[in-house]
Structures are given as C-alpha cells and as structure tokens.
Amino acid sequence: MKMKQRISKAAAAATITGIAAFGFAPVAQFDTPAHAATSQETNSQSQTAVKNINEIYNAAVKGEVPRLTVDFKIGKTLRQDVRDQFGPPPEGSSNNFDYYHAEMGHPGYAFGYDQNNVINEIRYFGTNVERQTNLGSITQANLKKELGQPNFTGKVKGDGTTQTKYTYHAGAYDLEFIFDDSKTLNHVNLVKKP
C-alpha cells in the first residue's frame, strides 16, 4: 500500500511538473511571433522615417519642400504665383504668411514672404491622415541618426508652448525641424541661410 502511495505521489508530481513545463512552453511560443511583429513594425517605421528624412533633405538642397506639386522656390516665387496656383489661403494670412491646410491626400503648407512679396520661408506640415507615414514617422532620435547632430538647436516659444528646433544646413538653405516633444514633429521650415 505504501508503495502505491509513493507511486501515486511520484506520478502526481511528474504530472504537475509536466503540466507546468508544458504550460510555459506555449507562452514562449506565443511571445516570439508577437515580439517579431513588434520588431518588424519598428523596422518598418524606421525605414519610413529614413525615406521621409531623405526626401525632405534632398528637396531642401534645391530650395523646395517635398510633395509640392508646383515648382515654388525660396527667393524666386511671388505671393501672387502661389495664390494663382492655390487661390486665396483658406487658413488666412498672418505675419506675412499664407496658410494652406492639409486635405485628404494633400499635405499642408505655409508660405512666408519678404517685403517684396517673394517667398522667404516655406513651412511643410505634412499630411493629417496616416500621419505616421509622413512627418509622424520622424523623431529626434531617428533624425539625428540619419542626418547627424544638427548645426543649431534652439527653442521656439509661442502660444503657451515651447518647441525644439533642430537646424541642418542644406546647400544654400537651412532646414528646421520643429518638434513639440522628442517624438512629435510638428512641421519643417525651409529658409535661406542667413
């Protein structure tokens, strides 16, 4: 009888150990695909950011911003040329800027003008829909990884907010990335170098 109890206890212990061992194995198997998916998503977001950073920088070297369907250039294009193309700014004008909001599939822009009504700054706001495939993919970390340390860093204050500005030289122009926080890029400015 004692032998039966010992065998029963040993069998019970083996069963519990086996269940515990097998119970942990499926959890590990489920974690692996989830971890792989997260890693793939991160890699995809990183690739999107690199593509967007390079697109913005390469356009800036030419005095342009990406995804603008017409050839507007800093120091050359007149305010009237912009209005002939886009009409009066639906967002209105303020401080010598005309604002054109983002619409379905089209990014938003603002054009700044000098005293002669010639473009002296273009702001690129990106798209609102699926923003993570556009400016939303760019963080301070991946910007520094792709373009290196900025030539200048500063703070922009206004309307009760403080933003961080990273300035990179791009040929004859300065490219300014304006962040709300380390992971939220608000917009990009293109200006002629001082």
Side-chain angles (χ1 to χ4, degrees):
M1 181 83 156
K2 287 186 179 185
M3 184 62 112
K4 276 187 173 182
Q5 286 178 345
R6 284 186 194 157
I7 291 176
S8 293
K9 286 181 182 178
T15 302
I16 291 171
T17 304
I19 290 172
F22 289 118
F24 289 116
V27 172
Q29 290 172 358
F30 289 131
D31 282 347
T32 303
H35 177 69
T38 302
S39 178
Q40 287 172 351
E41 288 172 16
T42 302
N43 190 32
S44 175
Q45 289 169 347
S46 179
Q47 289 174 351
T48 299
V50 167
K51 177 183 137 309
N52 288 325
I53 291 167
N54 287 317
E55 180 183 27
I56 291 166
Y57 184 83
N58 291 334
V61 170
K62 298 183 276 187
E64 302 171 353
V65 292
R67 302 178 188 169
L68 191 56
T69 57
V70 289
D71 193 24
F72 292 157
K73 291 195 180 217
I74 290 181
K76 295 182 181 177
T77 305
L78 298 171
R79 178 179 245 162
Q80 193 56 51
D81 296 330
V82 174
R83 290 187 174 187
D84 287 347
Q85 181 68 36
F86 293 127
E91 296 291 317
S93 295
S94 144
N95 297 332
N96 289 326
F97 273 91
D98 288 345
Y99 294 90
Y100 295 88
H101 60 82
E103 294 180 358
M104 187 66 131
H106 300 285
Y109 300 94
F111 300 94
Y113 304 95
D114 65 16
Q115 66 277 6
N116 298 318
N117 282 320
V118 176
I119 292 178
N120 65 2
E121 181 174 343
I122 303 174
R123 292 182 181 173
Y124 176 59
F125 293 99
T127 57
N128 292 337
V129 177
E130 294 186 1
R131 189 163 174 84
Q132 71 277 10
T133 64
N134 193 263
L135 291 187
S137 68
I138 301 172
T139 65
Q140 289 178 8
N142 59 31
L143 180 64
K144 287 179 186 176
K145 184 175 180 182
E146 189 62 22
L147 296 181
Q149 289 296 321
N151 296 98
F152 303 103
T153 303
K155 296 292 182 185
V156 178
K157 294 183 182 194
D159 299 334
T161 63
T162 301
Q163 297 171 312
T164 303
K165 175 171 64 173
Y166 284 9
T167 303
Y168 291 89
H169 295 316
Y173 305 94
D174 277 343
L175 187 57
E176 303 170 339
F177 292 83
I178 311 297
F179 287 89
D180 293 333
D181 56 50
S182 66
K183 293 188 177 187
T184 308
L185 178 60
N186 186 291
H187 67 279
V188 178
N189 298 334
L190 180 64
V191 296
K192 197 157 186 87
K193 270 189 202 172

